[in-house]
Amino acid sequence: MSAVSPKAAALALRLAELTLPAGLAAARAAAQARLAAAGLPAKRDEYWRYTDPASLTASDAPLADLFDAAEEVPLFANINRLKLVFVDGHFDAAVSDDLTLSGVEISRLADVPAGHWSENAYGTLEAAGQTPILRPLAALNSAYATDGLLIHVTARASKPISVIYLRKSEASDAILHHFIKLDPGAELTLLENGPAASRLNMVLEVDAGDGARFHHIRAQGLDHDRRTVSHIFARLGAKSLFKSFTLTANGILTRNEAVIEFTGDHAQAHIAGAAMGDGAFHHDDTIFITHGAEACESRQVFKKVLKHGAVGVFQGKILVKQGAQKTDGYQISQALLLDDDSQFLAKPELEIYADDVKCSHGSTSGAIDETALFYLRSRGVPKRAAQSLLILAFLADTIAEIEDEAIAEDIRARLESWLQGHED
Amino acid sequence: MLEINNLHVKLEDEDKQILKGVTLKIGAGEVHAIMGPNGSGKSTLSYVLSGRDGYAVTEGSASLEGEDLLAMEPEVRAAHGLFLAFQYPVEIPGVGNMTFLRTALNAQRKTRGEPEVSAGDFLKLVREKAKALHIDADMLKRPVNVGFSGGEKKRNEILQMAMLEPKMCILDETDSGLDVDAMKLVSEGVNALRSEGRSFLVITHYQRLLDHIKPDVVHIMAAGRIIKTGGPELALEVEHNGYAEILAAHKLTEVQ
Ligand SMILES: Nc1ncnc2c1ncn2[C@@H]1O[C@H](COP(=O)(O)OP(=O)(O)OP(=O)(O)O)[C@@H](O)[C@H]1O
Ligand SMILES: [Mg+2]
């Protein structure tokens, strides 16, 4: 009798709680095989050194107290958008707009018909993203996701798609998976907003054709007890543009991974994150950018404001493959520690196999600038307001990655309201 | 206006006494100058008056229009009309100069229970004041003092003063780093603000500034004390003879 490894045992336990949804059977089976080969992640895995995945891999999602969303400034309220609402991981057609938008075809993963284009797409970018580093929770997601959107963008979308994730249960355990396929020259802005579930496992695959443009603005909410693991997998064709910004406030555990690969020349990928953690907050941004084509530009800008024992993690890698000449790679990760209890752990990495490239990275952590604080106060700005101003200034570089000024202004307003509400 | 009595100040974290009994009274509308050797405590006095952390007052008092300055938070002192033009103006990346000015102005007004200045009125005001100081629109848009030249930083301090219209203005070496023309601009800026209800304490090493901004009283500070007080002629004396004589004389009196 062969011994069962601890990883296989943990996986068996987890799978006992899951049922395989219908539809996309071949893609799901392939993902199951990837998951079986990888096993579930554990704290001793190098890639999970700074973040304990135990509560993300456990059979049952830990209970999470409900949070009154009314405490938050609404986002995107004045933006003309197609609103699609998920409640605890299930699409709610009653409160959503129709799935019709010019320049876009939208289907639901939960009722995908046979012969749908996604049969050849779903899970493929996730599968590609398993090398060189395994991402088992993403494979689990592809196999077992119960709902999500399959979006085919054929032209320039007439307005943004705004996905709203509500949480109404203390015990919701959601697995959501979106696939976005952008034809050459197509363009879409995706807005995501809300906690989604007590525990959320989210995958977003983005396949951008040549010259396509994709804007992604995500706000993960102030919900204190939620847990999230999310993966973005993007494949970028020649001259395409990919821009993603994530705002995270509280949340007991968040692991946001992004795996981006340039497959065509002269493309651009900017990925930014602003996180504000107060108290029991563990936020991990893990980024892997592969330059597999020439003259592409990648930019990672991640900033975290931490207090009362909050922990921030950043693992960011730029891999420049042989032949990816004229690569321009930039990475910055910074933390503002508002007290001595908070902690920032950063692991920036560059791996370069081409000789004509420009790559830089930097990481800092520090306290609020007392001299600047006094300067502001000496001009009559009260201490709290002065601190808020300096915090917003610290985060400004991340918000600057949002192209649409109205959306950026919304994000700024929400940050300001958090700062006002969170004064000590 | 400003009344400082026997002020003793030490560093909070160190056993180092910096001010050893400063006494100074500035009446409404008066301009006083303080000169004195490097390290004598001039900037420390200005910081303590404006409420910077890191200093401990061990003895004495300071009041503005009869109110205890030392008991107020820095922002409250500002709202009461105290202003310090810093010897080394601070750079604040990420905060635009305009935002900074407007936030400061409205914060002070709010503390005093006055209505906020509208965006339009503010813009008009700032343009007018900036023009007089030859501060261009670009400097107003840039982050506070970031990448400003030494002279630009000093002019920016005077712009803030002109916008905030304080009652008690302390200028800490605002003249250092200024070219001849900028010195004239800054002096004109200061002189334009001189009025019956507004007083100035001008810290400087050079007589030249005092040619433009004529002081009523000149003090010499050394080793944490005001050791001599006189009229404008005292500044001329320092310019010609340095501090040696005054210091020597002071030591004699001390020995007595
Ligand atoms: N935070 C501090 N830590 C250590 N020493 C300090 C501190 N602040 C002031 N001092 C010391 O106190 C003394 C007075 O300093 P201050 O800056 O007030 O002098 P000043 O008269 O303004 O000099 P200058 O003409 O060079 O500007 C100096 O010896 C200085 O080194
Ligand atoms: Mg000084």
Side-chain angles (χ1 to χ4, degrees), chain B residues 11 14 16 18 36-45 55 87-88 172-173 205:
Chain B
L11 290 178
E14 264 177 70
K16 183 173 177 184
I18 302 179
N38 293 129
S40 56
K42 305 180 298 295
S43 292
T44 301
L45 176 64
Y55 304 101
Q87 181 173 2
Y88 304 107
D172 191 358
E173 292 196 30
H205 286 296

Side-chain angles (χ1 to χ4, degrees), chain A residues 134-216:
Chain A
L134 290 172
R135 304 172 199 277
L137 289 170
L140 181 144
N141 179 299
S142 296
Y144 294 97
T146 50
D147 214 338
L149 301 167
L150 305 166
I151 301 175
H152 182 190
V153 190
T154 53
R156 191 181 169 169
S158 55
K159 57 186 174 186
I161 293 179
S162 168
V163 189
I164 297 160
Y165 305 105
L166 305 178
R167 172 165 94 87
K168 293 186 177 169
S169 154
E170 290 181 348
S172 52
D173 191 14
I175 307 179
L176 290 173
H177 192 126
H178 304 313
F179 195 106
I180 300 182
K181 177 177 154 183
L182 294 115
D183 285 350
E187 179 166 358
L188 178 74
T189 295
L190 176 69
L191 308 172
E192 292 186 285
N193 175 23
S198 303
R199 180 170 72 177
L200 170 68
N201 180 334
M202 160 73 79
V203 165
L204 171 65
E205 296 182 276
V206 180
D207 192 3
D210 293 351
R213 300 168 75 84
F214 179 67
H215 298 272
H216 177 225

Side-chain angles (χ1 to χ4, degrees), chain A residues 374-375 377 379-380 383, chain B residues 73 75 84 107-108 157 160:
Chain A
F374 173 65
Y375 192 58
R377 295 180 73 191
R379 296 305 182 244
K383 189 174 178 186
Chain B
E73 295 292 332
E75 55 270 29
L84 168 62
Q108 289 201 12
E157 293 291 288
Q160 292 166 38

